[in-house]
Amino acid sequence: MTQPTLDRRTSGILLHPTSLPGRFGIGDLGPEAYRFADLLAETGQGLWQVLPLGPTGYGDSPYQCFSAFAGNPLLVSPEKLREDGLLTTADLAKAPEFPEESVDFGAVIDFKRSVLKHAFARFQKTASTTARQGFEGFRREQAGWLGDFALFMALKDAHRGASWTTWERQIKTRLPQAVEQARRDLEAEVRAHEFAQYLFFRQWEDLRTYVHAHAIQIMGDVPIFVAHDSADVWAHPELFVLAADGGPAVVAGVPPDYFSETGQLWGNPLYRWDMMTRTGYAWWIERFRAVLGLVDLVRLDHFRGFEAYWEVPGKDKTAVNGRWVKGPGAALFEALQAALGPLPIVAENLGVITPEVEALRERFGFPGMAILQFAFGSDDSAESFKPHNYPRHLAAYTGTHDNDTIDGWWSGGVGDSTRTQDDVEAERDNCRQYLGTEGREIHWAFVRAVLASVADLAVIPLQDVLGLGSEARMNVPAKPNGNWRWRFFWGQVTHALRRRLRGMTEIYGRVPATRPTKVPETAG
């Protein structure tokens, strides 16, 4: 079975919306997102890849969200709210001075909460009948998750952000009368969280429509696991392996690897696949239905975990003492296909990949991923990351959000990896010989190799297009804080850079025939 995710050879840019420019401390779904879509079209790109779009929790990570279904209210654009009459110019003038090149999440959260509070108050006072009907329609359409999520967030606010396992027993264990009492007591707060979701979904749909009008698709991201401190686990504890106190009995991670000698301890609770099976995988079906309502393709994170996952005792401090446990395998994807039809999935098949994992991926025709930065090491898997070994049905990357940038990797030492300095030098030597370069403009050598490959899809993090160093890295795996902060600014995207990317994309046959053949002289 072959299920192509794209109907043509194409390329795209990986950039999470939080990394967009803008004066409100964090990238959002406002004018700069539309300007970035214009940049993608101008340079011949057919794909915009983003990270998970949910409301971020621990460590500000998009892979640790308060819900697998909700959107991130930090992405709501104040400027779009002003256009809608929900904020005034005076409201926007009160924004503090934020850093331009990174996200100060604490300050941004305080500001955005204030903005959303003002917008909701104005909506309640001034909204037309049509606008109110739109909000109520959204509440009905999203009722399967929205009520639980909004109540969960209202309760977290009432408990000053504390994890749900520390709440009063009646509400922690969701006694029906306690839940209903909380809904009554927190009705205004619940409605405010629902309204913030309404704003996110409406702004996202407007942006997606604009992106589609430029013949660009959006690739989203579905993490295999959810955060323990989430509405998903609180509302559906029967679907997760939990201890008597509500904490995770076992947690997710990966064994010792390139990034860590003690493995990566993610801490996410693991699924009770027996319960998932009894319900016909209903929760997963609704999760995929929701994400496919937002994006066109899905990068399915940690695909190997669906064949077998690394289970670590809940009290352990490292991932060393884990064990492999069989996942749902083909049964899950058969259920998803039966309910939703062909699945536009790119399988993140990195890490400890076995023949069984590859057989599962190939059975459903999901393209895998190849990371060029991993092609020059001494381990056995390196050969599969070299472009001369790529199959067509593949998504090829220079690097991902978890990697150092190409320039950072090239100029740095062992960094966050488990390599020795000798390993680093050997990798560089191998890279020089393979790419025929002495390292000048190494990022462009990587970009060219990926675009030139036979892979149907080539994706480049914007940091690698810009040739930025380690200061622009998005995430260091297993580092609990300080990630996800990087932002670019338009001065970095020069006219010469746009023309060069467009030229390479054209040379290697990745620009749609309907696109303009030249970058306008006034660009950038």
Side-chain angles (χ1 to χ4, degrees):
M1 174 192 314
T2 298
Q3 294 180 180
T5 56
L6 293 161
D7 58 6
R8 55 180 168 77
R9 177 176 170 85
T10 195
S11 62
I13 301 296
L14 167 59
L15 182 84
H16 197 48
T18 59
S19 295
L20 289 162
R23 68 185 185 93
F24 299 110
I26 191 169
D28 58 35
L29 307 181
E32 304 295 352
Y34 289 76
R35 188 177 176 187
F36 183 71
D38 293 340
L39 173 68
L40 292 173
E42 185 181 300
T43 56
Q45 307 310 306
L47 185 94
W48 181 357
Q49 182 175 340
V50 300
L51 304 180
L53 293 165
T56 50
Y58 177 73
D60 307 303
S61 170
Y63 294 89
Q64 295 285 348
C65 289
F66 291 130
S67 169
F69 295 84
N72 189 351
L74 298 183
L75 295 177
V76 171
S77 163
E79 289 159 302
K80 300 291 282 185
L81 296 182
R82 180 177 58 184
E83 291 175 13
D84 293 339
L86 295 174
L87 292 177
T88 66
T89 300
D91 291 329
L92 300 190
K94 297 174 185 176
E97 290 292 325
F98 291 107
E100 293 184 357
E101 298 177 33
S102 64
V103 181
D104 179 350
F105 278 100
V108 165
I109 289 168
D110 289 343
F111 171 69
K112 282 292 179 83
R113 282 179 175 170
S114 174
V115 162
L116 293 170
K117 181 179 179 180
H118 282 296
F120 184 47
R122 188 160 282 122
F123 178 85
Q124 289 179 303
K125 291 179 181 178
T126 66
S128 66
T129 300
T130 300
R132 294 178 190 277
Q133 288 173 342
F135 177 37
E136 292 306 318
F138 170 78
R139 293 181 69 232
R140 289 192 298 272
E141 290 166 6
Q142 307 298 333
W145 63 269
L146 183 60
D148 280 329
F149 167 73
L151 178 58
F152 175 83
M153 294 305 296
L155 284 163
K156 276 193 75 67
D157 292 342
H159 290 85
R160 299 185 178 182
S163 169
W164 64 268
T165 57
T166 67
W167 300 348
E168 300 84 355
R169 184 184 61 82
Q170 292 89 341
I171 197 66
K172 178 173 76 171
T173 57
R174 288 181 60 88
L175 291 179
Q177 60 269 34
V179 170
E180 289 311 307
Q181 185 63 50
R183 289 191 198 278
R184 290 191 293 270
D185 293 343
L186 299 171
E187 181 179 5
E189 292 84 356
V190 168
R191 187 61 64 96
H193 281 289
E194 291 175 338
F195 185 70
Q197 289 301 304
Y198 171 61
L199 296 176
F200 169 87
F201 277 78
R202 192 174 64 174
Q203 289 190 3
W204 178 262
E205 187 54 36
D206 288 347
L207 176 61
R208 186 184 180 195
T209 298
Y210 186 84
V211 168
H212 284 174
H214 286 70
I216 297 165
Q217 292 183 294
I218 299 175
M219 183 193 290
D221 193 316
V222 171
I224 181 174
F225 300 116
V226 300
H228 175 255
D229 191 20
S230 68
D232 308 293
V233 180
W234 176 68
H236 301 285
E238 73 281 1
L239 298 180
F240 300 89
V241 186
L242 303 178
D245 63 356
V250 289
V251 297
V254 290
D257 61 5
Y258 173 92
F259 292 109
S260 173
E261 293 180 350
T262 58
Q264 296 178 46
L265 188 65
W266 295 337
N268 307 77
L270 297 174
Y271 298 107
R272 286 195 58 186
W273 286 113
D274 59 333
M275 291 297 296
M276 294 282 189
T277 302
R278 289 182 206 172
T279 64
Y281 301 100
W283 184 87
W284 273 96
I285 290 169
E286 293 310 309
R287 185 182 186 189
F288 258 86
R289 194 191 309 278
V291 74
L292 292 176
L294 294 174
V295 301
D296 307 297
L297 299 85
V298 169
R299 170 193 175 272
L300 186 53
D301 182 55
H302 197 57
F303 180 79
R304 75 100 54 245
F306 293 100
E307 195 282 323
Y309 52 88
W310 190 248
E311 177 187 280
V312 183
K315 302 297 184 182
D316 278 20
K317 302 301 182 184
T318 75
V320 170
N321 295 320
R323 62 178 186 132
W324 290 109
V325 179
K326 284 294 183 182
L332 170 62
F333 298 105
E334 288 170 350
L336 289 170
Q337 281 190 333
L340 304 173
L343 301 171
I345 284 174
V346 171
E348 190 267 287
N349 59 333
L350 307 175
V352 183
I353 304 304
T354 64
E356 291 83 2
V357 175
E358 286 300 271
L360 179 64
R361 183 185 63 77
E362 291 170 2
R363 173 172 174 174
F364 292 92
F366 302 147
M369 290 172 54
I371 312 302
L372 185 54
Q373 196 179 121
F374 291 157
F376 309 111
S378 59
D379 56 290
D380 294 340
S381 65
E383 285 300 309
S384 66
F385 294 120
K386 291 180 178 175
H388 72 269
N389 287 321
Y390 290 174
R392 288 189 180 276
H393 200 49
L394 181 78
Y397 292 73
T398 55
T400 74
H401 63 276
D402 282 334
N403 293 94
D404 202 345
T405 66
I406 295 305
D407 274 40
W409 170 83
W410 180 257
S411 61
V414 296
D416 60 298
S417 74
T418 57
R419 301 172 298 166
T420 66
Q421 192 59 43
D422 286 345
D423 293 334
V424 170
E425 293 302 327
E427 276 191 48
R428 286 184 186 141
D429 228 24
N430 194 356
C431 180
R432 288 188 190 96
Q433 294 181 53
Y434 189 88
L435 296 179
T437 179
E438 286 305 311
R440 183 175 176 272
E441 294 190 314
I442 187 67
H443 59 289
W444 281 115
F446 270 65
V447 171
R448 181 182 293 276
V450 168
L451 291 176
S453 75
V454 299
D456 288 336
L457 176 60
V459 182
I460 310 154
L462 184 63
Q463 295 96 315
D464 289 343
V465 176
L466 300 178
L468 301 178
S470 298
E471 75 283 351
R473 184 169 182 172
M474 197 63 167
N475 180 51
V476 178
K479 178 185 173 186
N481 301 109
N483 294 315
W484 319 108
R485 297 176 181 270
W486 174 76
R487 301 172 73 197
F488 82 95
F489 56 93
W490 284 111
Q492 295 171 307
V493 191
T494 64
H495 183 64
L497 181 145
R498 296 171 191 235
R499 291 181 65 82
R500 190 169 187 178
L501 179 59
R502 173 72 185 225
M504 275 195 193
T505 309
E506 285 182 341
I507 286 170
Y508 297 116
R510 295 186 184 273
V511 177
T514 56
R515 290 279 172 78
T517 57
K518 298 178 73 174
V519 175
E521 291 299 328
T522 56

